[in-house]
Amino acid sequence: MLKTSEFQKAIESVENLPLDDQEILLDIIQKRLQEKRRKKLAEEIKEIRQEFANGDVQFGSVNQFLEALDQE
């Protein structure tokens, strides 16, 4: 409940800003979220490349994948 309260306080703080400031804040938050998504994607790509380099990646058709699941 404390988390919701802090979240509500943040929303109220933003709502108390002038409209121009709210728009600037929204733009900043959107850009930061985009950057976080880019970094996360880059990390995932790095992990996948490492798995591929280690030979931990297998290729095949969907049917082969389903057959392998059935064997487990």
Side-chain angles (χ1 to χ4, degrees), residues 17-31:
L17 294 172
L19 184 58
D20 288 344
D21 290 348
Q22 289 182 31
E23 290 174 346
I24 292 168
L25 179 60
L26 178 61
D27 186 52
I28 291 169
I29 291 172
Q30 287 175 332
K31 287 179 180 175

Side-chain angles (χ1 to χ4, degrees), residues 31-57:
K31 287 179 180 175
R32 288 183 180 185
L33 286 172
Q34 289 172 347
E35 183 60 29
K36 285 183 180 184
R37 287 185 192 113
R38 278 190 206 103
K39 286 181 181 180
K40 183 178 179 183
L41 181 59
E43 289 172 10
E44 290 173 355
I45 290 170
K46 182 179 177 182
E47 288 175 22
I48 291 169
R49 285 182 174 163
Q50 185 62 46
E51 289 174 3
F52 182 77
N54 293 341
D56 297 335
V57 178

